[in-house]
Amino acid sequence: MIGSAELGQATDDSFSEDVLRSDLPVLVEFTADSCAPCRQMEPVLRSLADDLRGRMRIVQVDVPANPATTRDYQVMGTPTMFLFHGGEPVRQLVGAQPKRRLLREVEPFV
């Protein structure tokens, strides 16, 4: 079923463990409940998580609830996505993205 994968949630307290120390590449979406494009991205990210299960993790960071991580990565708008590989950000995408664009960006790392 499309969109069935669970998306992880990272917080200021868990970001280092959930993202920076991950053995797998991690796509992080900085999001907010009030952001319409973020809500549009949710089924896209779930479908991507299904397609790449076991090869990549996808987590969300709630911007209002996690100001330190948001500030650390200089997120100015939502949705903003970072792809982390080996604990380092290797790609940044701002705004809603189609699934094919996300696949193109992450495929070299998975």
Side-chain angles (χ1 to χ4, degrees):
M1 179 169 108
I2 292 178
S4 63
E6 286 298 314
L7 302 178
Q9 302 295 317
T11 65
D12 285 346
D13 292 336
S14 72
F15 192 83
S16 181
E17 184 67 30
D18 292 340
V19 177
L20 303 181
R21 293 190 198 126
S22 176
D23 292 337
L24 296 174
V26 183
L27 182 65
V28 178
E29 180 197 32
F30 286 85
T31 187
D33 287 341
S34 62
C35 168
C38 299
R39 290 190 300 274
Q40 293 171 341
M41 286 302 302
E42 188 139 345
V44 173
L45 293 174
R46 288 182 188 281
S47 178
L48 188 67
D50 272 343
D51 291 351
L52 298 174
R53 188 182 311 268
R55 298 190 308 160
M56 185 180 82
R57 296 182 58 237
I58 299 176
V59 301
Q60 296 175 308
V61 173
D62 182 353
V63 168
N66 298 285
T69 304
T70 300
R71 188 176 45 251
D72 288 348
Y73 291 95
Q74 301 176 357
V75 174
M76 300 305 229
T78 55
T80 294
M81 288 165 272
F82 284 92
L83 176 63
F84 286 82
H85 185 261
E88 296 294 326
V90 294
R91 293 277 193 276
Q92 179 181 359
L93 300 152
V94 178
Q97 305 291 324
K99 182 179 173 183
R100 68 183 179 280
R101 168 94 192 275
L102 290 173
L103 275 170
R104 190 171 59 240
E105 294 292 334
V106 303
E107 277 184 333
F109 301 95
V110 295

